[in-house]
Amino acid sequence: MTTETNEPDSGYEAGQDNIQVMGLDVHNPVFAISAVTIVAFVFFSLVFKEQAGEFFGWLRPALTSNFDWVFMISTNIFVLFALFLVVTPYGSIRLGGDNARPDYSYAGWFAMLFAAGMGIGLVFWGVAEPISHFGSALGGTAVGEDGVRTDWAPLGAAAGDEAAAQKLSMAATIFHWGLHPWAIYAVVALALAFFSFNRGLPLTMRSVFYPLFGNATWGVLGHIVDVLAVFATIFGLATSLGLGASQALAGLNYLFDVPITDGMKVFLIVAITLFALISVVAGLEKGVKRLSEANMILAAALLLLVLIVGPTVAILTGFFTSLVDYAVFLPELSNWVGREDTNFMQGWTTFYWAWWISWSPFVGMFIARISRGRTVREFVICVLLIPTIVGALWMSVFGGAALDMVAGEGGQALKDAALELKMFKMFESFPLTGILSFVGIILVVVFFVTSSDSGSLVIDTITAGGKTDAPTKQRVFWCVLEGAIAIVLLLGGGLGALQAAAIATGFPFAIVLVLMCVSVFIGLAGEKRRRK
């Protein structure tokens, strides 16, 4: 892949500080620090399982209650910055230079970025989140003895008003899967693509800070950024893999009475990690791209099935009204000042923003690798707006069908079901229950595989000093380690531990991403001046 640059680069080449030993080609010291620290974490979490569970139980509320404002402010900055790029002349800059053309068709590009960005999460929360917000909103507000709200309802709730509770629940759900998370991805992906394809710098996180730090980027400061990116990526992925494994096992139990035990969770993660290894060895074109496209076909098939067998008219009308409600409630949901719904803001929104930020190095670098040839405007619009609309459609179909059931007769079993079982419980009231449930399980598994293999490719690129052709055994190492961490977090505290790990790694990286916006602006402004 050729790279067109419009200015002399820093003189630093991808893999310049690498060492070759035992058939490996790794960056010194990023690979060693990342690998040793993560392996040590796995070891001590297994040995001191009880203490690890207590620690994770303390960590999440400690971070969300004290630093929720950091996540709320930073994600708003990312949305505004992305929209700013769309409407300014910077949008005409092409990633890779004026003569660059896209490497992938729109269909292939959308499939890969969407499968990598949100797959497992959409399947897990598509039914669970709207129902959760609906129930808490309908129940109204509750205040403890200290005067602080104890309910989990968003904003001011909608006590006793089913129609208002549905509107608020869908708006809150789309808020967590709409512009804000995709703006996070867009900023990171754009920064990586621009500084790699237009400036000839290595495709690694440290490169995007060259306008701010100069040659210090290749020293200790750069090491810290890359190591943080590895930590954020691997723990963010582990969170999603753990959620996916829990849901897949719940579905297998529902369909085939497979026991839900820690041993089965471990077995399932190991089995799916083996499939991910096969894809990792196959590479980006033969493995990740084909699996991503297959995933989109499966997801579309499941979406259409639910739309057809569910309350079709209510779902379709609900999609458009939900988009309007999202726009209406967006300013209030984005605000962090004077909020009384602290459980919702800290327990839901802050967790989501930390989760997306922890995924951003992985998804951002992956999107960057497949986005050469797009203009900045085209890139931001496609990465920001189209996935937001598709995500809103997904949530409207699954969430709308679930809310219709809960609001009517016989919805109690769905409300009472565990989070990972809610989708399968909803399918009980539809024709083709077994087919829907089986397709749902397959979809979770394939999303699991695409997230793991594409994440392994990205982590390997970072720890190989920006080289995209490092030995395959390095990608295998990271793929295995991702599965091991998902197992450790599930055994050490379940869903709470997974969420705590995502927040802990997302917090420092939120600051990194704000600085990244400044660096991208400097780089684009310099590019625009040179084109005059």
Side-chain angles (χ1 to χ4, degrees):
M1 183 180 295
T2 59
T3 301
E4 297 181 28
T5 59
N6 297 316
E7 68 172 18
D9 61 28
S10 67
Y12 189 91
E13 297 181 359
Q16 180 174 308
D17 292 329
N18 284 16
I19 56 175
Q20 290 78 34
V21 59
M22 298 175 61
L24 303 177
D25 186 357
V26 295
H27 186 278
N28 179 38
V30 172
F31 179 89
I33 294 174
S34 303
V36 170
T37 304
I38 293 170
V39 170
F41 169 84
V42 171
F43 174 77
F44 285 110
S45 295
L46 286 174
V47 173
F48 302 103
K49 181 180 175 181
E50 183 177 339
Q51 292 87 340
E54 293 176 357
F55 173 72
F56 293 133
W58 163 83
L59 182 61
R60 177 184 170 176
L63 286 172
T64 55
S65 61
N66 293 309
F67 299 104
D68 52 354
W69 58 276
V70 173
F71 292 105
M72 297 296 289
I73 292 174
S74 59
T75 49
N76 286 335
I77 289 173
F78 305 146
V79 173
L80 294 174
F81 180 67
L83 295 176
F84 165 79
L85 294 179
V86 171
V87 300
T88 61
Y90 301 122
S92 63
I93 295 173
R94 188 173 294 276
L95 300 175
D98 292 338
N99 297 322
R101 291 296 177 267
D103 296 318
Y104 300 98
S105 66
Y106 275 118
W109 189 43
F110 288 150
M112 286 191 283
L113 73 87
F114 197 79
M118 294 195 167
I120 292 177
L122 280 174
V123 179
F124 188 94
W125 292 110
V127 173
E129 185 172 352
I131 289 179
S132 297
H133 296 329
F134 174 77
S136 58
L138 191 63
T141 60
V143 180
E145 294 180 358
D146 55 359
V148 177
R149 276 177 56 176
T150 57
D151 63 274
W152 285 78
L155 301 178
D161 188 338
E162 286 195 354
Q166 285 198 23
K167 287 177 175 291
L168 186 55
S169 65
M170 287 306 302
T173 299
I174 296 172
F175 172 62
H176 290 148
W177 297 85
L179 293 175
H180 284 72
W182 283 100
I184 295 169
Y185 294 160
V187 166
V188 178
L190 177 63
L192 288 164
F194 175 77
F195 287 106
S196 176
F197 300 143
N198 294 69
R199 290 291 180 267
L201 299 179
L203 186 61
T204 187
M205 293 302 298
R206 69 174 70 202
S207 295
V208 306
F209 296 100
Y210 186 73
L212 294 177
F213 303 136
N215 286 330
T217 303
W218 317 121
V220 174
L221 284 174
H223 301 337
I224 293 172
V225 169
D226 278 351
V227 169
L228 282 176
V230 172
F231 289 165
T233 300
I234 204 158
F235 285 105
L237 274 170
T239 301
S240 297
L241 300 184
L243 291 174
S246 298
Q247 189 177 32
L249 186 56
L252 291 171
N253 172 263
Y254 174 77
L255 284 179
F256 307 114
D257 291 324
V258 175
I260 300 179
T261 63
D262 286 344
M264 283 305 303
K265 289 178 182 177
V266 171
F267 174 79
L268 188 61
I269 292 175
V270 170
I272 298 177
T273 300
L274 289 176
F275 284 108
L277 282 173
I278 296 172
S279 180
V280 162
V281 172
L284 183 63
E285 284 287 342
K286 295 181 180 179
V288 179
K289 182 174 180 288
R290 290 178 181 175
L291 272 177
S292 297
E293 291 173 343
N295 239 15
M296 293 305 294
I297 294 172
L298 267 179
L302 186 62
L303 188 79
L304 286 174
L305 280 173
V306 173
L307 181 62
I308 292 169
V309 301
T312 307
V313 176
I315 289 173
L316 290 176
T317 56
F319 167 62
F320 295 102
T321 57
S322 294
L323 284 177
V324 173
D325 294 331
Y326 167 53
V328 169
F329 285 109
L330 183 60
E332 288 183 84
L333 292 167
S334 302
N335 174 49
W336 69 95
V337 180
R339 293 278 290 268
E340 295 181 354
D341 55 336
T342 52
N343 279 344
F344 171 80
M345 187 177 73
Q346 295 174 358
W348 281 98
T349 303
T350 302
F351 161 65
Y352 268 127
W353 291 176
W355 191 13
W356 301 143
I357 289 170
S358 69
W359 263 51
S360 64
F362 144 54
V363 179
M365 186 172 293
F366 185 76
I367 293 175
R369 286 186 64 175
I370 61 175
S371 299
R372 183 180 181 274
R374 310 287 177 185
T375 66
V376 170
R377 183 173 293 111
E378 174 190 17
F379 175 90
V380 174
I381 289 174
C382 290
V383 174
L384 188 64
L385 298 182
I386 292 178
T388 293
I389 293 172
V390 174
L393 176 62
W394 182 278
M395 290 300 182
S396 296
V397 170
F398 283 80
L403 289 174
D404 183 78
M405 188 183 306
V406 168
E409 297 291 331
Q412 191 60 44
L414 178 57
K415 287 191 287 187
D416 294 341
L419 288 175
E420 60 269 18
L421 196 58
K422 286 187 183 295
M423 181 178 73
F424 302 106
K425 280 293 181 182
M426 184 185 75
F427 289 161
E428 282 185 354
S429 64
F430 295 156
L432 309 174
T433 300
I435 294 175
L436 287 170
S437 298
F438 186 72
V439 173
I441 294 171
I442 297 299
L443 189 61
V444 170
V445 170
V446 181
F447 270 135
F448 194 140
V449 173
T450 54
S451 295
S452 182
D453 60 12
S454 51
S456 302
L457 289 170
V458 167
I459 295 174
D460 182 45
T461 300
I462 297 172
T463 56
K467 297 184 72 171
T468 57
D469 57 350
T472 303
K473 65 178 68 176
Q474 295 172 203
R475 299 197 296 273
V476 169
F477 169 77
W478 291 113
C479 186
V480 171
L481 205 54
E482 287 161 23
I485 290 176
I487 290 170
V488 164
L489 291 173
L490 275 176
L491 296 180
L495 180 60
L498 293 166
Q499 293 174 331
I503 291 172
T505 54
F507 171 66
F509 220 74
I511 310 301
V512 172
L513 264 59
V514 172
L515 290 175
M516 189 178 295
C517 292
V518 178
S519 188
V520 171
F521 177 76
I522 294 172
L524 291 175
E527 178 86 355
K528 198 66 180 175
R529 286 194 300 269
R530 288 169 176 79
R531 294 177 64 186
K532 289 183 178 180

